[in-house]
Amino acid sequence: METTDAVKVETLDVGPQKRINESHRFLLIVIGALCCICTSFSYAFNLISGTMQTRYTLSQRDLVTIATVGIVFMYFALPYAFIFDYFGPLPVSVLAIIFFPIGTVCLALCFMGKIHGTVARLSVFNALMGAGCIQFDLISLMSTISYFPVNKGPITALLKTFTGLGQALVGTMYIGYFSKQADIYFFFLMAFAIVVGTLAIIFLRLPAYHLTGYEMKKLSPEEKEERGRTKAQFLRQKPPMWRFVWGFTIIFILVIFLPVQSAMVAYNYVTDKKITLAFAIISTILLIIFLLLWIPIPSCFTRKGKRTQENSQEEDFVEDDIDDHIAQIEMGEKGTANQTEGEGSAEPIEKVEKPVETEVDYIAPQYQGTFLRNLLSPELWSLFWSFFVIVGAEFVVIFNSGYIFSALQGSEISPELRSLLTVLNGVGSAVGRLIMSAFEIWTQKRKAEDRIPITISLFPPTVTVLISLILFLVLPAQALPFAFILIALGNGFINASIVLSTRTIYAKDSAKHYNFCFLAMAFAGIVFNRGLYGEWYAKEAEKQGSNLVCLGRECVQTPIIILICLSATAFATNVFSHLRYRNLCAKVMKERARIRNELAAEEAEEPIVDEEAKQ
């Protein structure tokens, strides 16, 4: 391992290592996808908010307060991140199957009239459900990505897309299986979360090289070094691409199927109970097909398995593809051994020089500081500000889309348009996540010197949100859904960007850095959704003599203008973050070249022993 004052470049272990079980790795993806579906349950309160408003005579200010409390407790996940980084995913999984079921059951009892729903009680119940949702997000992403350090893009796409599609997926089941009976539906969500949480408790663990804070204190230096060497195998061994193709095929089908069937139901093109039940069954079947992603494949059905079947009759199943680089090294060593042991081998054996491998050959350069140290750095706070203002604008538009559309067009929107906005949000967010993840996959496949810094992913959400907010002020009412599509895309962009940027540029305390950015979302919910939009809208509604709905551009125009100005500042912090990280990348590439040159020079100075000297 070589270091400088500014950068750190690690060379990889070249010794033999145990192959990674690909079925196990993809089983973790399946469990992670189920956890992300649980994360999407945070939108479930929207299903009963209208009924709650009527039953308990809640004002618009009350509904915004309840929603904002849920947002704050959902994204205030930094305490769970400290637990995760110190103990691993197990205790957070336990908390998830406690918080979410309690909040869900209490909301169901409020809907049933068993518990009187006050603003305080509904806020607490919604907060418990939101806290459980973000705990599922934390254990799924941070655990699974550690098993695929070179494939952050595909993993983010597979998991985060389910966070976006999850609301549409379970919404289809809600209509088909439960006939819009919200109380039964909430109990179904509770049971689903308990089952998924139990699977997470049993199976979700960090890989050996990813040491928790507790292990850093407990293990000896030799044990730490031994476990750290296993990282080389996770970097070198390529996962089988056919499994990724399997997963993405199902996701693309869901991206097309779910919006189409949702629109058909929302606009009353489909009213037959049998058809809605069929939609729910199809959604369930597609989900089950995706969940089979992890199953072991008999060796006779795999190309490489057929090649190795003659050499290995002991295994009934193969652990999928072996990295070609490792296979070549092993074959080279065997060939050398055979040549040495063979009779009549008079030719001298020339040592084949191999270029030294470093982490940078597989993953992008990283800041090496701890989370507490990085709290004093401008890079982390520039990320915080960018996420704060952009997510704040998205919260205002997405969580209040129906009221904003009504205000801008001067009349209340139809239920069909409200349903369409929900569909557009889910699909747009999913597409945004896929596009951002595809960018990461594309740049990751390039040579280390040619990769585009991942901080460039901060710009697409900023640009789309800025354009969308401007369009809300200038477009006619009929064209406003186009502006909303841009906001939904931006929502998908930034959700993927938070994962990719924090996991890529920070080497230590991954959960803390990731959830620190979520802390920006919690503050954004308070400042922008409850403070800026909520108070302004309620004030304008009271001027019109109503506590529920405000009609007219003056109801939302000022908050949108303020959001435009603040979003423009995010562009400046994005530039700062990108330039600083690009500078780090340049330093790391220079250090990598220096290490290679030094090792090459050392090998060139080694004495050459000929055959006569050996005799």
PDB file of all heavy atoms in Angstrom, residues 29 33 61 68 84 88 129 132 171 233 239 248 291 299 359 372 472 567 573 575 578 603:
ATOM      1  N   ILE A  29     -29.492  -9.163  -3.600  1.00  0.00           N
ATOM      2  CA  ILE A  29     -30.174  -8.193  -4.455  1.00  0.00           C
ATOM      3  C   ILE A  29     -31.686  -8.371  -4.350  1.00  0.00           C
ATOM      4  O   ILE A  29     -32.442  -7.400  -4.263  1.00  0.00           O
ATOM      5  CB  ILE A  29     -29.709  -8.336  -5.919  1.00  0.00           C
ATOM      6  CG1 ILE A  29     -28.264  -7.882  -6.062  1.00  0.00           C
ATOM      7  CG2 ILE A  29     -30.605  -7.534  -6.855  1.00  0.00           C
ATOM      8  CD1 ILE A  29     -27.740  -7.971  -7.475  1.00  0.00           C
ATOM      9  N   ALA A  33     -34.258  -5.640  -3.061  1.00  0.00           N
ATOM     10  CA  ALA A  33     -35.389  -5.132  -3.843  1.00  0.00           C
ATOM     11  C   ALA A  33     -36.674  -5.166  -3.023  1.00  0.00           C
ATOM     12  O   ALA A  33     -37.482  -4.227  -3.068  1.00  0.00           O
ATOM     13  CB  ALA A  33     -35.547  -5.955  -5.123  1.00  0.00           C
ATOM     14  N   ARG A  61     -53.434  23.104   6.227  1.00  0.00           N
ATOM     15  CA  ARG A  61     -52.255  23.266   7.072  1.00  0.00           C
ATOM     16  C   ARG A  61     -52.017  22.008   7.912  1.00  0.00           C
ATOM     17  O   ARG A  61     -50.873  21.587   8.118  1.00  0.00           O
ATOM     18  CB  ARG A  61     -52.420  24.486   7.972  1.00  0.00           C
ATOM     19  CG  ARG A  61     -51.179  24.795   8.802  1.00  0.00           C
ATOM     20  CD  ARG A  61     -51.377  25.995   9.718  1.00  0.00           C
ATOM     21  NE  ARG A  61     -51.212  27.252   8.979  1.00  0.00           N
ATOM     22  CZ  ARG A  61     -52.202  28.088   8.704  1.00  0.00           C
ATOM     23  NH1 ARG A  61     -53.448  27.790   9.079  1.00  0.00           N
ATOM     24  NH2 ARG A  61     -51.965  29.206   8.044  1.00  0.00           N
ATOM     25  N   THR A  68     -45.349  16.548   6.522  1.00  0.00           N
ATOM     26  CA  THR A  68     -43.996  17.039   6.771  1.00  0.00           C
ATOM     27  C   THR A  68     -43.334  16.277   7.910  1.00  0.00           C
ATOM     28  O   THR A  68     -42.142  15.948   7.841  1.00  0.00           O
ATOM     29  CB  THR A  68     -44.027  18.544   7.095  1.00  0.00           C
ATOM     30  OG1 THR A  68     -44.609  19.251   5.994  1.00  0.00           O
ATOM     31  CG2 THR A  68     -42.622  19.070   7.338  1.00  0.00           C
ATOM     32  N   PHE A  84     -25.579   1.468  11.958  1.00  0.00           N
ATOM     33  CA  PHE A  84     -25.184   0.597  10.842  1.00  0.00           C
ATOM     34  C   PHE A  84     -23.672   0.529  10.725  1.00  0.00           C
ATOM     35  O   PHE A  84     -23.094  -0.566  10.604  1.00  0.00           O
ATOM     36  CB  PHE A  84     -25.796   1.112   9.550  1.00  0.00           C
ATOM     37  CG  PHE A  84     -25.532   0.251   8.354  1.00  0.00           C
ATOM     38  CD1 PHE A  84     -26.469  -0.673   7.924  1.00  0.00           C
ATOM     39  CD2 PHE A  84     -24.346   0.356   7.644  1.00  0.00           C
ATOM     40  CE1 PHE A  84     -26.220  -1.480   6.828  1.00  0.00           C
ATOM     41  CE2 PHE A  84     -24.085  -0.437   6.542  1.00  0.00           C
ATOM     42  CZ  PHE A  84     -25.031  -1.354   6.135  1.00  0.00           C
ATOM     43  N   GLY A  88     -23.349  -2.896  11.900  1.00  0.00           N
ATOM     44  CA  GLY A  88     -23.795  -3.584  10.703  1.00  0.00           C
ATOM     45  C   GLY A  88     -25.305  -3.498  10.532  1.00  0.00           C
ATOM     46  O   GLY A  88     -26.001  -2.804  11.284  1.00  0.00           O
ATOM     47  N   MET A 129     -44.087   5.131  10.654  1.00  0.00           N
ATOM     48  CA  MET A 129     -44.072   4.423   9.381  1.00  0.00           C
ATOM     49  C   MET A 129     -42.938   4.927   8.491  1.00  0.00           C
ATOM     50  O   MET A 129     -42.235   4.139   7.853  1.00  0.00           O
ATOM     51  CB  MET A 129     -45.421   4.595   8.671  1.00  0.00           C
ATOM     52  CG  MET A 129     -45.578   3.727   7.437  1.00  0.00           C
ATOM     53  SD  MET A 129     -47.255   3.757   6.753  1.00  0.00           S
ATOM     54  CE  MET A 129     -47.309   5.449   6.152  1.00  0.00           C
ATOM     55  N   GLY A 132     -39.547   3.588   9.680  1.00  0.00           N
ATOM     56  CA  GLY A 132     -39.359   2.201   9.258  1.00  0.00           C
ATOM     57  C   GLY A 132     -39.003   2.086   7.794  1.00  0.00           C
ATOM     58  O   GLY A 132     -38.164   1.257   7.409  1.00  0.00           O
ATOM     59  N   GLY A 171     -49.963  -0.467  -5.281  1.00  0.00           N
ATOM     60  CA  GLY A 171     -51.251   0.145  -5.585  1.00  0.00           C
ATOM     61  C   GLY A 171     -52.112  -0.739  -6.463  1.00  0.00           C
ATOM     62  O   GLY A 171     -53.332  -0.830  -6.285  1.00  0.00           O
ATOM     63  N   GLN A 233     -10.948  -9.960  -4.475  1.00  0.00           N
ATOM     64  CA  GLN A 233     -11.832 -10.880  -5.200  1.00  0.00           C
ATOM     65  C   GLN A 233     -13.137 -10.201  -5.582  1.00  0.00           C
ATOM     66  O   GLN A 233     -13.679 -10.445  -6.675  1.00  0.00           O
ATOM     67  CB  GLN A 233     -12.106 -12.120  -4.346  1.00  0.00           C
ATOM     68  CG  GLN A 233     -12.879 -13.216  -5.049  1.00  0.00           C
ATOM     69  CD  GLN A 233     -12.063 -13.895  -6.148  1.00  0.00           C
ATOM     70  OE1 GLN A 233     -10.876 -13.609  -6.300  1.00  0.00           O
ATOM     71  NE2 GLN A 233     -12.683 -14.774  -6.895  1.00  0.00           N
ATOM     72  N   PRO A 239     -19.665 -10.368 -11.876  1.00  0.00           N
ATOM     73  CA  PRO A 239     -20.926 -11.108 -11.740  1.00  0.00           C
ATOM     74  C   PRO A 239     -21.476 -11.486 -13.105  1.00  0.00           C
ATOM     75  O   PRO A 239     -21.204 -10.802 -14.101  1.00  0.00           O
ATOM     76  CB  PRO A 239     -21.845 -10.115 -11.024  1.00  0.00           C
ATOM     77  CG  PRO A 239     -21.290  -8.775 -11.365  1.00  0.00           C
ATOM     78  CD  PRO A 239     -19.803  -8.960 -11.488  1.00  0.00           C
ATOM     79  N   PHE A 248     -33.258  -6.557 -15.302  1.00  0.00           N
ATOM     80  CA  PHE A 248     -33.647  -5.352 -16.034  1.00  0.00           C
ATOM     81  C   PHE A 248     -34.808  -5.623 -16.990  1.00  0.00           C
ATOM     82  O   PHE A 248     -35.615  -4.731 -17.252  1.00  0.00           O
ATOM     83  CB  PHE A 248     -32.443  -4.794 -16.801  1.00  0.00           C
ATOM     84  CG  PHE A 248     -31.507  -4.006 -15.946  1.00  0.00           C
ATOM     85  CD1 PHE A 248     -30.212  -4.427 -15.730  1.00  0.00           C
ATOM     86  CD2 PHE A 248     -31.929  -2.839 -15.331  1.00  0.00           C
ATOM     87  CE1 PHE A 248     -29.340  -3.711 -14.940  1.00  0.00           C
ATOM     88  CE2 PHE A 248     -31.066  -2.103 -14.531  1.00  0.00           C
ATOM     89  CZ  PHE A 248     -29.770  -2.542 -14.333  1.00  0.00           C
ATOM     90  N   LEU A 291     -37.889 -12.253  -8.389  1.00  0.00           N
ATOM     91  CA  LEU A 291     -37.322 -12.816  -7.165  1.00  0.00           C
ATOM     92  C   LEU A 291     -36.558 -14.112  -7.414  1.00  0.00           C
ATOM     93  O   LEU A 291     -35.744 -14.525  -6.583  1.00  0.00           O
ATOM     94  CB  LEU A 291     -38.436 -13.059  -6.136  1.00  0.00           C
ATOM     95  CG  LEU A 291     -39.211 -11.818  -5.678  1.00  0.00           C
ATOM     96  CD1 LEU A 291     -40.237 -12.186  -4.622  1.00  0.00           C
ATOM     97  CD2 LEU A 291     -38.264 -10.739  -5.160  1.00  0.00           C
ATOM     98  N   SER A 299     -24.789 -26.690 -13.754  1.00  0.00           N
ATOM     99  CA  SER A 299     -23.626 -26.405 -14.592  1.00  0.00           C
ATOM    100  C   SER A 299     -23.851 -26.762 -16.059  1.00  0.00           C
ATOM    101  O   SER A 299     -23.274 -26.144 -16.946  1.00  0.00           O
ATOM    102  CB  SER A 299     -22.411 -27.172 -14.062  1.00  0.00           C
ATOM    103  OG  SER A 299     -22.683 -28.558 -14.077  1.00  0.00           O
ATOM    104  N   GLU A 359      -6.685  -0.517  -6.582  1.00  0.00           N
ATOM    105  CA  GLU A 359      -8.130  -0.331  -6.475  1.00  0.00           C
ATOM    106  C   GLU A 359      -8.658   0.575  -7.579  1.00  0.00           C
ATOM    107  O   GLU A 359      -9.770   0.410  -8.076  1.00  0.00           O
ATOM    108  CB  GLU A 359      -8.478   0.272  -5.113  1.00  0.00           C
ATOM    109  CG  GLU A 359      -8.517  -0.718  -3.979  1.00  0.00           C
ATOM    110  CD  GLU A 359      -9.104  -0.106  -2.728  1.00  0.00           C
ATOM    111  OE1 GLU A 359      -9.253   1.133  -2.687  1.00  0.00           O
ATOM    112  OE2 GLU A 359      -9.429  -0.849  -1.788  1.00  0.00           O
ATOM    113  N   LEU A 372     -16.822  12.237  10.464  1.00  0.00           N
ATOM    114  CA  LEU A 372     -16.660  13.382  11.371  1.00  0.00           C
ATOM    115  C   LEU A 372     -15.606  14.347  10.841  1.00  0.00           C
ATOM    116  O   LEU A 372     -15.750  15.576  10.983  1.00  0.00           O
ATOM    117  CB  LEU A 372     -16.280  12.885  12.763  1.00  0.00           C
ATOM    118  CG  LEU A 372     -17.348  12.041  13.480  1.00  0.00           C
ATOM    119  CD1 LEU A 372     -16.847  11.589  14.837  1.00  0.00           C
ATOM    120  CD2 LEU A 372     -18.647  12.848  13.626  1.00  0.00           C
ATOM    121  N   PHE A 472     -43.643  25.719 -15.036  1.00  0.00           N
ATOM    122  CA  PHE A 472     -44.873  25.830 -14.257  1.00  0.00           C
ATOM    123  C   PHE A 472     -45.423  27.260 -14.281  1.00  0.00           C
ATOM    124  O   PHE A 472     -46.632  27.481 -14.159  1.00  0.00           O
ATOM    125  CB  PHE A 472     -44.633  25.400 -12.808  1.00  0.00           C
ATOM    126  CG  PHE A 472     -44.856  23.938 -12.564  1.00  0.00           C
ATOM    127  CD1 PHE A 472     -43.808  23.105 -12.224  1.00  0.00           C
ATOM    128  CD2 PHE A 472     -46.123  23.385 -12.683  1.00  0.00           C
ATOM    129  CE1 PHE A 472     -44.012  21.752 -12.005  1.00  0.00           C
ATOM    130  CE2 PHE A 472     -46.343  22.038 -12.469  1.00  0.00           C
ATOM    131  CZ  PHE A 472     -45.280  21.219 -12.129  1.00  0.00           C
ATOM    132  N   SER A 567     -32.696  27.115  -6.385  1.00  0.00           N
ATOM    133  CA  SER A 567     -32.193  26.015  -7.203  1.00  0.00           C
ATOM    134  C   SER A 567     -31.018  26.458  -8.062  1.00  0.00           C
ATOM    135  O   SER A 567     -30.122  25.649  -8.362  1.00  0.00           O
ATOM    136  CB  SER A 567     -33.315  25.462  -8.086  1.00  0.00           C
ATOM    137  OG  SER A 567     -34.368  24.933  -7.310  1.00  0.00           O
ATOM    138  N   THR A 573     -22.905  25.199  -6.401  1.00  0.00           N
ATOM    139  CA  THR A 573     -22.285  24.214  -5.508  1.00  0.00           C
ATOM    140  C   THR A 573     -21.958  22.925  -6.247  1.00  0.00           C
ATOM    141  O   THR A 573     -20.994  22.229  -5.899  1.00  0.00           O
ATOM    142  CB  THR A 573     -23.206  23.920  -4.306  1.00  0.00           C
ATOM    143  OG1 THR A 573     -24.509  23.546  -4.779  1.00  0.00           O
ATOM    144  CG2 THR A 573     -23.327  25.144  -3.415  1.00  0.00           C
ATOM    145  N   VAL A 575     -20.866  22.813  -9.338  1.00  0.00           N
ATOM    146  CA  VAL A 575     -19.604  23.107 -10.020  1.00  0.00           C
ATOM    147  C   VAL A 575     -18.438  22.979  -9.047  1.00  0.00           C
ATOM    148  O   VAL A 575     -17.393  22.390  -9.364  1.00  0.00           O
ATOM    149  CB  VAL A 575     -19.642  24.520 -10.640  1.00  0.00           C
ATOM    150  CG1 VAL A 575     -18.271  24.916 -11.170  1.00  0.00           C
ATOM    151  CG2 VAL A 575     -20.675  24.574 -11.765  1.00  0.00           C
ATOM    152  N   HIS A 578     -17.809  19.274  -8.231  1.00  0.00           N
ATOM    153  CA  HIS A 578     -17.235  18.564  -9.382  1.00  0.00           C
ATOM    154  C   HIS A 578     -15.766  18.919  -9.578  1.00  0.00           C
ATOM    155  O   HIS A 578     -14.928  18.035  -9.810  1.00  0.00           O
ATOM    156  CB  HIS A 578     -18.030  18.909 -10.637  1.00  0.00           C
ATOM    157  CG  HIS A 578     -17.513  18.253 -11.884  1.00  0.00           C
ATOM    158  ND1 HIS A 578     -17.510  16.890 -12.064  1.00  0.00           N
ATOM    159  CD2 HIS A 578     -16.950  18.787 -13.010  1.00  0.00           C
ATOM    160  CE1 HIS A 578     -16.981  16.592 -13.244  1.00  0.00           C
ATOM    161  NE2 HIS A 578     -16.632  17.723 -13.827  1.00  0.00           N
ATOM    162  N   GLU A 603      11.578  -4.247 -10.470  1.00  0.00           N
ATOM    163  CA  GLU A 603      11.638  -5.533 -11.165  1.00  0.00           C
ATOM    164  C   GLU A 603      12.771  -5.545 -12.189  1.00  0.00           C
ATOM    165  O   GLU A 603      13.405  -6.575 -12.418  1.00  0.00           O
ATOM    166  CB  GLU A 603      10.298  -5.826 -11.842  1.00  0.00           C
ATOM    167  CG  GLU A 603       9.173  -6.099 -10.865  1.00  0.00           C
ATOM    168  CD  GLU A 603       7.851  -6.367 -11.575  1.00  0.00           C
ATOM    169  OE1 GLU A 603       7.839  -6.285 -12.820  1.00  0.00           O
ATOM    170  OE2 GLU A 603       6.860  -6.668 -10.888  1.00  0.00           O
TER     171      GLU A 603
END
